[in-house]
Amino acid sequence: MVKREFAACLFLCSLGMMAQSRMDEPTKSIDLDEVNVISTRAGVNTPIAHTNVGKEQLAELNTGKDLPALLSLTPSVTWSSDAGNGIGYTTLRVRGTDPSRINITANGIPLNDAESSTVFWVNMPDFVSSAENVQIQRGVGTSTNGAGAFGATVNIQTAKTGTVPTMGLDVSGGSYGSNKETLRFSTGLLRGHWAMQGRLSHISSDGYIDRASTKLGSYFLQGGYYGTNTVVKFITFNGQERTYHAWNYTSKYEQSLNGRRYNSCGEYYDADGNRRYYEGQTDNYHQQNYQLLWNQIFTPQLSMNAGVHYTKGQGYYEQYQQEASWQLFGMSTDADLYADLVDQQKMDNDFGGIVASLNYDNQRLKATLGGGWNLYEGDQFGRIVWTAPGIVTTPPTPDALTPDFEYYRNHARKTDFNMYGKVTYELLRGLSTFVDLQYRHVGLKMQNPTVGYGFNNDKRYVVDNDYNFFNPKVGLNYDITAHHKLYASYGIGHKEPVRNNFMQQIANPDNADARAKAEQLGDLEVGYKYQSSRFSAGANLYWMHYKDQLVLTGELNAIGEALTKNLDRSYRLGLELEAAWKPVHWFRWDVNATLSRNRVQDISVTLDDGTTEALGTQPLAFSPDFIFNNIFAFTWKGLKASVHTQYISEQHLTNTGFKTFRGWDMDGNATSESLMLGENFITNIDLAYNFKMRSFGIKDATVGMTLYNIFSAKFNNNGWAAPAYTKEDGKVVAYNPCYASYGALRDCWAVGFAPQAPFHFMAHLSLNF
């Protein structure tokens, strides 16, 4: 596969050059790489909260963990890991908003999955090794391509090729069988105008959680033509993953019996009553990305970028289901038949489109006109690949017991068109205004988002919706002096529902609360920044008020995806603080903190008798009130050392405000069980030493070690909850609904937690030739 893509890159690069330029000063065109992201990024005078993370910062942390873990020390960020050690399935949250509300782009190209609106980082392993820098815009942000930004925008610029040839090897290894190997190369400029650059990576880990293994492979390859005023690049990158399921999480009761590392995924019992685990309980996916980018400078003031992209995704997840209802899978008409089976849910997706922008900059006036059009066509379908033998059935179709019986299929089609205009104008010396107007149209069609047999056999589009959004943003930036700056902005954003929302709507057709509605966000940002050669500081106050916000409910679907629900009125009010101090050349101190209040207004719950009860204003799920990060960094000649400390306050698993619910022990005695992710306080240490080895043909080498959670704090950074509610003595109480029906003890089957690894480490070696 790598050889074929390498040859394809050479062929396309040789044929795809669309412009000629002068031979003088060819290396200046390397700066044209940044034209890809200028139109969608915040600049120094853009009045919104944002953080830039450079290549060197990313490289210092990049020893194998996914991007959410590497960004976890930036303001207002929390993250989670199914495997417990940051490798495999991970998620990123900003200001409490879930991953499906975060817009992700690479070179201005949208990366969010069209149906779920989520980026699955496991499908893009080691992408950080091919990143030049990352910008995180918090809040509604500036207009960009792809999914609407409701919590943040993460804009990735891929690596520059550089002007001189390079080759490098990065190797990491450590706890839980974790290892990462990356081979890097760049040709530099050939004949003054041509260059190629690439990477080949492998990552694997056993995971902290039992059997939460991960095997990842990827490459990144780009080739291009660099002229004085023109750059044309072809980029291709892929990801191949095989990950054992760890998305069930575990109750505190299950952990007390089996330990913190217990994983119930794939568990079944054989005919003799012995507990077994299905080896094929895995997620398997291959994602292939292509980008063709053209960046052009017409005059010193006027530049343009255009990009064509295509992504192909194919894969499946497989799971063993013990005592499954064969009727639900279309295997039998007998409602009382429950027996073992193995099913696969498969995906075959195509996503492509075009983005472009025209940029003008004459010092006082900066303007951008841009937009994009994207088309997604995807099939998701389920097949039964094994059934328990010797079972007499009454199948509804003659093919029900044949291999690979297809029990459901969903075809989805999504079009996404947007155009935007941005203007920054200096009204007076130091005072500039910012206006950003975007129109976005989304067309969404789905045949069967229910993952259920027998639904919509005539293949019509049961979801056929069009959304038209107008998203304006305005702001002011005032450079009081060279050191002091004030800014303020207000923006409006909209977001369409995702597939899981329509799944819940169809499953509950008579429930008005389950109807999937588009959401609206109004975001006010007011900030102050101070900058000097040794000290910088900033404060940003935000007020994000929502209409029909799609909020995490705490529940999961059958494949571990977090469910959301429209809530009529909610808000997030917070203060973000940042400071950096470098008193001497060998020491730097960075600190940031977020204090916030995140609330849903007029929340209500359905009681076990079918009535509803209002609970008033309550905390939003997965939204901590306090996040604190502290970084001490030391540099002395070739030695670098840093100490990272993070504190995250407790988080609710539901939006009801309940911190506990009632369970029952083996003797029928009532117990009090947690509905909270407890606070966590962890410290990591990173050590690295760089030295020359030219006598061995090596430009330089870096050896080091990262020590994670050095005090072995026991904490959970994700979870789920699905309690029931009743009324006793005029008061609403939460309880475990599985006790009476299934005999579930304490919190079992009503709540789950994602335990994270205690002390662990990764040693690393980097060689540059």
Side-chain angles (χ1 to χ4, degrees):
M1 177 64 75
V2 175
K3 291 181 179 178
R4 290 201 301 270
E5 296 302 338
F6 190 89
C9 180
L10 285 174
F11 178 73
L12 287 172
C13 288
S14 65
L15 296 181
M17 303 305 108
M18 297 179 286
Q20 297 294 323
S21 61
R22 301 188 307 272
M23 293 294 290
D24 57 313
E25 299 183 288
T27 57
K28 287 176 60 180
S29 64
I30 298 299
D31 294 335
L32 268 166
D33 281 328
E34 298 179 359
V35 176
N36 280 318
V37 296
I38 286 175
S39 61
T40 56
R41 282 201 167 179
V44 292
N45 291 327
T46 307
I48 64 169
H50 64 279
T51 300
N52 296 315
V53 184
K55 184 174 184 178
E56 184 177 349
Q57 294 171 276
L58 293 170
E60 290 175 357
L61 300 172
N62 184 24
T63 60
K65 297 199 175 189
D66 299 335
L67 185 63
L70 305 190
L71 299 179
S72 64
L73 295 176
T74 59
S76 300
V77 168
T78 60
W79 68 287
S80 68
S81 168
D82 283 4
N85 65 337
I87 301 175
Y89 269 95
T90 58
T91 61
L92 175 72
R93 297 190 183 109
V94 182
R95 293 182 177 176
T97 55
D98 74 291
S100 68
R101 268 83 200 144
I102 298 175
N103 174 278
I104 314 289
T105 60
N107 302 320
I109 304 295
L111 296 178
N112 296 71
D113 175 76
E115 288 191 82
S116 68
S117 198
T118 298
V119 171
F120 299 96
W121 298 106
V122 73
N123 298 332
M124 301 174 58
D126 201 26
F127 195 67
V128 173
S129 290
S130 298
E132 187 70 26
N133 51 63
V134 177
Q135 182 180 88
I136 308 173
Q137 300 175 19
R138 299 184 294 279
V140 75
T142 65
S143 293
T144 185
N145 301 302
F150 255 56
T153 296
V154 178
N155 190 307
I156 306 169
Q157 181 187 353
T158 56
K160 299 179 181 180
T161 57
T163 58
V164 297
T166 61
M167 180 169 286
L169 176 66
D170 305 320
V171 179
S172 302
S175 303
Y176 313 115
S178 303
N179 63 91
K180 170 182 173 288
E181 299 81 37
T182 301
L183 179 65
R184 302 171 280 108
F185 82 93
S186 175
T187 64
L189 283 180
L190 303 174
R191 297 189 177 182
H193 292 290
W194 306 84
M196 293 193 67
Q197 186 263 350
R199 163 189 61 81
L200 187 65
S201 300
H202 168 266
I203 301 174
S204 66
S205 175
D206 296 331
Y208 167 67
I209 300 299
D210 290 341
R211 303 179 315 286
S213 60
T214 302
K215 293 182 180 179
L216 311 174
S218 68
Y219 72 81
F220 177 92
L221 189 64
Q222 65 174 326
Y225 170 83
Y226 293 82
T228 304
N229 297 312
T230 304
V231 167
V232 178
K233 293 199 299 184
F234 174 75
I235 299 174
T236 179
F237 55 93
N238 87 331
Q240 181 80 47
E241 63 96 3
R242 180 178 175 86
T243 307
Y244 196 93
H245 298 178
W247 54 47
N248 281 1
Y249 306 156
T250 54
S251 68
K252 295 293 181 64
Y253 178 65
E254 289 174 314
Q255 292 181 35
S256 70
L257 297 178
N258 304 289
R260 292 184 76 238
R261 302 176 69 175
Y262 172 65
N263 179 13
S264 64
C265 291
E267 183 177 282
Y268 69 98
Y269 291 85
D270 63 20
D272 298 323
N274 299 310
R275 183 159 58 182
R276 305 287 187 185
Y277 294 98
Y278 181 57
E279 293 184 1
Q281 190 92 1
T282 55
D283 185 71
N284 307 265
Y285 201 76
H286 175 234
Q287 182 171 290
Q288 188 73 48
N289 298 72
Y290 303 93
Q291 298 181 359
L292 181 61
L293 308 174
W294 175 24
N295 300 337
Q296 182 73 43
I297 293 179
F298 299 108
T299 70
Q301 294 80 31
L302 188 63
S303 66
M304 180 209 72
N305 80 281
V308 179
H309 68 93
Y310 171 68
T311 300
K312 178 66 177 180
Q314 286 181 307
Y316 67 92
Y317 86 88
E318 183 171 309
Q319 64 176 348
Y320 191 104
Q321 300 212 36
Q322 189 166 35
E323 293 298 312
S325 170
W326 282 32
Q327 184 186 54
L328 293 179
F329 288 92
M331 304 296 293
S332 173
T333 56
D334 185 355
D336 296 324
L337 177 56
Y338 291 83
D340 296 2
L341 57 81
V342 174
D343 78 294
Q344 289 182 349
Q345 290 194 17
K346 295 191 172 185
M347 292 149 284
D348 188 354
N349 308 321
D350 298 275
F351 177 62
I354 184 170
V355 300
S357 71
L358 191 65
N359 309 294
Y360 178 79
D361 184 353
N362 77 343
Q363 295 184 341
R364 291 191 65 183
L365 173 66
K366 296 181 180 180
T368 295
L369 179 65
W373 177 86
N374 302 292
L375 172 64
Y376 168 84
E377 296 269 1
D379 286 296
Q380 295 197 17
F381 49 99
R383 290 179 176 174
I384 305 298
V385 297
W386 177 86
T387 58
I391 296 177
V392 179
T393 67
T394 54
T397 68
D399 299 325
L401 295 181
T402 59
D404 289 335
F405 168 65
E406 185 173 296
Y407 65 91
Y408 92 94
R409 177 176 286 267
N410 173 59
H411 178 76
R413 175 185 174 89
K414 184 176 183 179
T415 56
D416 189 332
F417 167 78
N418 85 95
M419 60 184 301
Y420 57 85
K422 306 178 185 181
V423 174
T424 301
Y425 181 70
E426 188 176 25
L427 299 170
L428 302 170
R429 183 176 179 85
L431 177 63
S432 61
T433 182
F434 172 76
V435 178
D436 179 345
L437 305 176
Q438 182 196 51
Y439 166 74
R440 181 168 176 251
H441 171 80
V442 176
L444 182 60
K445 297 181 178 182
M446 295 181 184
Q447 290 178 338
N448 179 12
T450 66
V451 196
Y453 170 78
F455 179 80
N456 189 25
N457 290 325
D458 61 4
K459 304 301 181 184
R460 72 188 186 281
Y461 287 113
V462 297
V463 176
D464 189 351
N465 295 350
D466 288 289
Y467 302 92
N468 293 284
F469 301 135
F470 177 58
N471 302 317
K473 298 112 180 170
V474 295
L476 290 171
N477 181 83
Y478 182 34
D479 293 332
I480 305 170
T481 68
H483 302 295
H484 300 272
K485 173 187 294 191
L486 287 171
Y487 65 85
S489 66
Y490 184 79
I492 295 176
H494 296 83
K495 184 79 169 61
E496 69 279 7
V498 300
R499 182 189 179 194
N500 283 336
N501 302 127
F502 293 108
M503 182 187 302
Q504 297 172 76
Q505 173 181 297
I506 293 171
N508 302 277
D510 299 326
N511 186 350
D513 288 341
R515 185 168 64 88
K517 294 176 285 188
E519 51 188 337
Q520 177 178 303
L521 163 65
D523 180 21
L524 175 66
E525 308 272 339
V526 179
Y528 163 79
K529 290 183 179 180
Y530 172 81
Q531 182 76 47
S532 69
S533 60
R534 292 191 175 185
F535 179 73
S536 63
N540 184 77
L541 177 68
Y542 64 88
W543 178 49
M544 304 167 69
H545 59 99
Y546 302 83
K547 172 63 177 174
D548 295 323
Q549 181 183 186
L550 285 162
V551 175
L552 291 168
T553 65
E555 299 171 292
L556 303 179
N557 66 12
I559 57 172
E561 295 175 323
L563 299 181
T564 58
K565 175 184 176 181
N566 287 112
L567 297 179
D568 183 35
R569 294 189 303 148
S570 55
Y571 68 87
R572 302 181 188 275
L573 175 66
L575 176 64
E576 296 166 331
L577 302 170
E578 295 181 81
W581 181 42
K582 192 172 183 178
V584 290
H585 72 276
W586 51 267
F587 173 69
R588 179 184 170 105
W589 182 10
D590 289 87
V591 62
N592 65 73
T594 301
L595 299 90
S596 63
R597 180 178 174 85
N598 312 278
R599 295 292 186 268
V600 54
Q601 299 162 280
D602 304 320
I603 186 73
S604 62
V605 295
T606 301
L607 305 181
D608 52 7
D609 62 2
T611 62
T612 60
E613 186 75 18
L615 300 179
T617 298
Q618 299 295 341
L620 285 168
F622 301 99
S623 302
D625 292 337
F626 185 50
I627 301 173
F628 174 79
N629 294 301
N630 187 86
I631 306 171
F632 293 128
F634 306 85
T635 304
W636 184 257
K637 296 183 178 179
L639 177 66
K640 287 187 177 181
S642 58
V643 181
H644 311 153
T645 300
Q646 182 178 69
Y647 172 81
I648 300 175
S649 65
E650 64 179 7
Q651 304 171 58
H652 288 260
L653 288 177
T654 72
N655 300 297
T656 63
F658 286 100
K659 290 191 172 185
T660 61
F661 69 102
R662 182 195 302 158
W664 288 270
D665 63 18
M666 294 182 63
D667 299 321
N669 299 313
T671 62
S672 179
E673 308 297 338
S674 177
L675 277 174
M676 304 290 292
L677 291 179
E679 62 182 9
N680 64 75
F681 187 87
I682 60 172
T683 300
N684 305 327
I685 296 178
D686 184 69
L687 303 169
Y689 182 69
N690 179 268
F691 54 95
K692 308 296 183 183
M693 296 183 65
R694 297 190 181 276
S695 59
F696 294 92
I698 300 173
K699 293 180 182 178
D700 67 271
T702 302
V703 295
M705 180 173 292
T706 304
L707 310 175
Y708 299 100
N709 194 5
I710 61 172
F711 300 114
S712 287
K714 293 183 179 180
F715 69 100
N716 310 292
N717 63 12
N718 206 359
W720 66 269
Y725 305 93
T726 190
K727 204 167 186 179
E728 295 179 354
D729 299 325
K731 182 179 180 181
V732 178
V733 297
Y735 68 95
N736 186 347
C738 299
Y739 173 70
S741 301
Y742 306 105
L745 300 178
R746 290 182 46 188
D747 59 348
C748 197
W749 303 347
V751 69
F753 298 91
Q756 300 302 294
F759 170 75
H760 57 292
F761 72 92
M762 287 287 282
H764 45 93
L765 169 67
S766 180
L767 303 175
N768 293 306
F769 300 94

